[in-house]
Structure formats: structure tokens, C-alpha cells
Amino acid sequence: MPLTPLDIHNKEFSRRLRGYDEDEVNEFLDQVIKDYEALIRENKELQNNMLTLQEKLNHFSNIEETLSKTIIVAQEAADEVRNNAKKEAQLIIKEAEKNADRIVNDSLSKSRKIALEVEELKKQASIYRARFRTLVEAQLELLSQDSWESLDNSDESARHELLRG
């Protein structure tokens, strides 16, 4: 067990002949007691400071650990958000491609249908023109026949007869 200032103060030395000067020894012991008390106070202050600093160190270590965990969680959350965004973007792109394909296919189908309708109308117009041409040619042939002249003559003679009669 270490010495205390009280132990030093209460220390009694045995007396001998031709011993040390008692006043000098007491004076020296008083100085030792003062210095020893000062060292003990300083040691206690240093221990208190060390405890305070240790508490602060522990506090900052906890903060550092918490921040590290928070950063890791934030990193994982950011990675998850990024991955989800990529997946969603891919789904949007696939959906857009499907819609584009559907629109193109619908347009091609409508285009083919219109082309078929145009061809059908061309055929019908061609048939109509051919029939109309046939009709006109038949009418022209009728007009160019001699029987019309005989009708004209018979019409005139019938008129003459009516007028005479």
C-alpha cells in the first residue's frame, strides 16, 4: 500500500547519538509531504481528466460506429433504390416497345386493309368503265345502224300521212 502524506507526517524515527538534526529532518519531511500531496492531487486530476477523455472517446467511438452503420444502411438503400429504378426503367422500356410494336402492327394491318380496299375499288372502277364502254359502244352501234334511217323515213312518211288525212 502506497504511503500517504499522513504516514509521512506521523513517521517517527528512533534517536541515536550523533543522529541527524531533527529540525532539518522535519523541515525536509514537511517539504516531502507538500510535494507528495501535490503529486497525489495532480495524479487525481490526471485520472479525472483521463476518465473524462475516455468517456468522450467512447462517446465519439459510438458516434463513429453509428455513422458507419448509417452510411452502410444509406449505401444499401441507395443501391436498392438504384436497382429498383433500373428494373422499373426496363419494365417501362419493355412496355413502350410492346406498345410501339402494337401500334406498328395495327398501322401495317390498316395499311394492308386500305391497300386491299383501293385495289377492290380499282377493280370495280375498271369493271364499271368496261361495262360503261360496252354500253356506249352498243349505243353507238345502234345509232350507226341503217335501221335508224328507215325509222326516220317511216316517221316522216307517217307524219305526212297524218297531215294528209
Side-chain angles (χ1 to χ4, degrees):
M1 179 160 165
L3 285 175
T4 66
L6 191 58
D7 292 336
I8 296 170
H9 181 67
N10 291 332
K11 177 68 177 166
E12 296 276 333
F13 293 98
S14 55
R15 297 184 187 261
R16 290 203 180 162
L17 201 66
R18 295 182 72 198
Y20 291 109
D21 180 4
E22 192 176 326
D23 289 335
E24 271 185 49
V25 169
N26 284 337
E27 212 176 281
F28 182 74
L29 286 176
D30 286 342
Q31 184 62 44
V32 169
I33 289 170
K34 284 181 189 175
D35 290 350
Y36 197 66
E37 284 176 342
L39 286 174
I40 289 173
R41 267 194 311 275
E42 184 181 346
N43 191 20
K44 281 190 178 190
E45 287 177 14
L46 289 173
Q47 285 179 350
N48 288 338
N49 284 343
M50 184 186 71
L51 288 174
T52 303
L53 291 174
Q54 187 65 43
E55 287 175 7
K56 286 182 181 180
L57 178 63
N58 290 340
H59 176 71
F60 288 124
S61 293
N62 288 338
I63 289 174
E64 179 185 16
E65 185 178 335
T66 302
L67 286 174
S68 294
K69 288 178 182 177
T70 303
I71 288 172
I72 289 170
V73 168
Q75 182 76 34
E76 289 171 352
D79 290 343
E80 187 176 337
V81 167
R82 183 177 27 248
N83 289 337
N84 288 341
K86 282 182 182 178
K87 287 177 185 175
E88 190 172 337
Q90 289 172 347
L91 289 174
I92 290 171
I93 289 171
K94 284 181 182 178
E95 188 66 29
E97 287 173 348
K98 284 180 186 176
N99 285 340
D101 287 344
R102 183 185 49 77
I103 290 170
V104 167
N105 288 337
D106 288 350
S107 297
L108 286 174
S109 175
K110 287 178 183 177
S111 172
R112 287 184 193 119
K113 186 176 177 183
I114 290 171
L116 290 174
E117 288 176 2
V118 166
E119 286 301 315
E120 183 62 29
L121 288 174
K122 284 181 181 178
K123 285 179 188 175
Q124 288 177 6
S126 177
I127 291 170
Y128 175 75
R129 280 186 9 219
R131 287 182 181 166
F132 191 68
R133 178 178 289 126
T134 304
L135 178 65
V136 168
E137 287 173 353
Q139 293 298 320
L140 284 173
E141 191 176 315
L142 277 175
L143 287 174
S144 61
Q145 286 179 0
D146 290 336
S147 61
W148 277 101
E149 288 176 18
S150 65
L151 280 177
D152 278 344
N153 290 336
S154 66
D155 273 349
E156 256 182 63
S157 52
R159 254 189 273 160
H160 284 294
E161 279 182 28
L162 280 173
L163 291 174
R164 281 187 217 166

